[in-house]
Amino acid sequence: MDELRALIAKHARPDLTTAIPGVLVSRTTAGGPPAPSMTGTILAFVAQGRKRIALGERVYDYRAGQYLVASIDMPITGNYVDISPSEPALGLGLVLDPPAVADLLLAHDFPKPAGIPEGLAVSDASPELVDAVTRLARLLDRPAEARALAPLVKQEILWRVMTGEQGAAVRHLGTQDSGLSHIARAVRWIRENYAESFKVENVARIAGMSESAFYRNFQAVTAMSPIQFQKQIRLQEARLLLATTRDVTSVSHRVGYDSPSQFSREYRRQFGAPPSQDAKLTPQPAL
């Protein structure tokens, strides 16, 4: 872990990106208040520090030696806990690529995923997974080798996770007609049309499910109803807009609210301050 921490600290950039496609590294020195963001679909491994994430009414707390799987892109609120410039949070993320997961599923005899997993899950990393993550980070120092070896190490990391405690969640990503893929279709539609009103039955049709099955499975994955999910997206988008303008009424209409007063009430309830007084915060990803 010491080597992994040193490599992450060395290669961390403000935008989290690295020279290896799909690999992110993060170094954060200050906790700050909980901030909203979207998870993306990611495997986030913690090398140092601790982070707390809220998804709906669920709270996830993960720390060094653990990893988080986000199998669907969801609105969260999170912050780092008990960190400082001398003890920063250090993490490495691997963007989960459905075609790469599908290739492993086709090449090996994995059991077909049953049911629909939660959209977020936290587990302890095995020694084998820690070793593979460290070898991937080591390639950040070796760009010539990385071109040939990084795809193989990323595949090994996927294999370790797919055969571990959170394997079902990742296997769902590579299964075209899995229950998770149906929910993901609805999530994408809501994100792209968050300012529009909708009926749950219509979004269920987009997902290819009955209304009752869709509602039940959507809540199981996201810890929210479809309407609550849309509200989270609206409020997060509003907070981003308010970083560039203080016209609260205009922002409320742009994100789909007919009533600015209702927008202000829900914004205050979500973020603890009215939109007119809220300050710009840097969004924090799941990593």
Side-chain angles (χ1 to χ4, degrees), residues 231-239 257 266 270-271:
K231 183 188 295 185
Q232 292 285 311
I233 299 295
R234 285 179 169 182
L235 293 173
Q236 285 199 9
E237 292 293 330
R239 201 171 210 193
Y257 280 86
E266 294 186 353
Q270 177 68 22
F271 299 122

Side-chain angles (χ1 to χ4, degrees), residues 139-156:
L139 290 173
L140 294 171
D141 274 340
R142 306 168 184 174
E145 294 180 16
R147 285 192 289 273
L149 298 180
L152 301 177
V153 182
K154 288 195 284 186
Q155 187 178 67
E156 180 186 346

Side-chain angles (χ1 to χ4, degrees), residues 152-203:
L152 301 177
V153 182
K154 288 195 284 186
Q155 187 178 67
E156 180 186 346
I157 290 171
L158 275 181
W159 168 270
R160 298 293 181 192
V161 176
M162 289 169 65
T163 56
E165 191 175 44
Q166 305 306 330
V170 179
R171 293 197 299 272
H172 266 275
L173 277 174
T175 306
Q176 188 172 9
D177 199 39
S178 69
L180 187 66
S181 70
H182 288 273
I183 299 300
R185 196 182 308 154
V187 164
R188 283 193 298 272
W189 187 91
I190 294 173
R191 286 202 63 196
E192 292 168 1
N193 301 275
Y194 68 86
E196 300 179 17
S197 298
F198 65 82
K199 293 183 178 179
V200 172
E201 62 189 81
N202 293 336
V203 184

